[in-house]
Amino acid sequence: MAKPVQPAFRVIGYVTASVVVEQVPFDKLTHINYAFLVPNADGTFQPMPNTWKLKALAEQGRKHNVQVLISVGGWGWDAQFEQLAADPQKRSVFVDGLVQFVAENDLDGADIDWEYPDPGQSAQNFLALMTELRAALPKDKLLTAAVIAFGDEYGQGIPAESFALMDFINIMTYDGDLHGSLEQFNLGLDYWLGRGIPPEKLVMGVPFYSRPGEIIYRKIVEADPAAAWQDSIELAGAIQRYNGVPTMRAKTEIALQRASGIMIWTVEYDAPGEASLLSAITETIRSTQP
């Protein structure tokens, strides 16, 4: 019988509204982040499609000892966060609405994906928002955030005072010129450890898709099964960069030594069988256990 993944090391899988709940590999995850609940500039939220999937995930999560969180925001919603976080009344509307959403859907917490708060006043607004959220959420509910890979231009938008408010922090070590590379992964580790995030709160992100084409990993492997053991392939008229099985194992080994988990965007993009990146992560974790 396979050894279970130790809860101390987190494996956090983002899923989207297109997820098929019956296909989610709960046995290989410790947390699921459901993306996204989208905020409006006034602090309210846009209606979320397929909430029945979220409820089903939460129900199955409880059966498998997997914590399910709602991720709020995502790429392209910074302007809404900027406006609502700058106004105490709008922050209050946001906080009250999110706490209610977590309770109504029986979730384990909230993950804030305000990805690019600016240094300065924006950073202080981020801190105010997270402070009020932590105070309003029940003590047994998680509060996390997804932040940029590294660099003070935007990294300082996440003030050090906010680290203590969060249960863990997901580092988006993908996209950009270094998409998914080991260099980017290690730079992200060095930057956030240097900023003062303790290793036990640091969760390192990995992509299950390519750049520049944003081709999902499963489609890459379908095009060429040998691609599962590489990190690049010529596809769709360009050299696509991604993570194959060996790199995913190497990143997991690094995270086991220097951080407290791996975060995946997104679980739905994985390939089946021996090409599975999630299986590579899980097998690497289990190989380190006595």
Side-chain angles (χ1 to χ4, degrees), residues 76-287:
W77 301 103
D78 276 27
Q80 285 78 0
F81 273 118
E82 291 282 1
Q83 292 181 59
L84 73 88
D87 184 299
Q89 185 173 356
K90 293 174 182 177
R91 280 202 309 267
S92 179
V93 170
F94 177 93
V95 169
D96 290 347
L98 184 52
V99 170
Q100 182 179 353
F101 186 93
V102 168
E104 287 178 349
N105 292 282
D106 202 14
L107 302 176
D108 294 294
D111 173 59
I112 302 302
D113 282 42
W114 178 3
E115 297 180 358
Y116 297 102
D118 296 321
Q121 187 56 53
S122 178
Q124 293 307 304
N125 296 339
F126 176 89
L127 178 60
L129 184 67
M130 299 303 280
T131 299
E132 291 168 23
L133 267 173
R134 182 66 277 169
L137 282 166
K139 293 187 184 301
D140 64 337
K141 301 300 181 183
L142 299 173
L143 179 60
T144 71
V147 304
I148 67 165
F150 59 86
D152 275 355
E153 180 181 359
Y154 288 108
Q156 290 291 337
I158 310 297
E161 296 90 335
S162 68
F163 300 164
L165 301 169
M166 294 180 269
D167 293 278
F168 53 87
I169 302 164
N170 300 309
I171 314 302
M172 297 184 292
T173 34
Y174 40 75
D175 294 336
D177 294 338
L178 298 174
H179 174 66
S181 64
L182 278 170
E183 179 185 4
Q184 185 186 45
F185 193 82
N186 285 315
L187 285 169
L189 263 167
D190 291 342
Y191 176 77
W192 288 105
L193 287 171
R195 284 284 313 278
I197 297 179
E200 60 268 21
K201 285 192 175 186
L202 199 60
V203 176
M204 301 305 298
V206 294
F208 280 20
Y209 63 96
S210 76
R211 288 289 188 185
E214 297 186 59
I215 302 171
I216 67 175
Y217 175 70
R218 182 175 65 254
K219 296 295 184 182
I220 292 171
V221 173
E222 287 174 357
D224 181 1
W229 312 103
Q230 303 164 178
D231 287 337
S232 66
I233 186 175
E234 186 170 354
L235 197 62
I239 300 298
Q240 303 294 333
R241 292 174 290 114
Y242 59 96
N243 286 167
V245 168
T247 294
M248 199 58 63
R249 287 175 175 159
K251 287 184 173 182
T252 305
E253 289 172 357
I254 294 168
L256 282 160
Q257 295 171 5
R258 303 187 64 201
S260 70
I262 288 285
M263 173 269 284
I264 299 151
W265 183 271
T266 75
V267 171
E268 298 144 88
Y269 296 169
D270 199 13
E274 65 177 9
S276 168
L277 297 178
L278 182 54
S279 292
I281 292 168
T282 305
E283 289 163 6
T284 303
I285 297 165
R286 289 174 177 165
S287 70

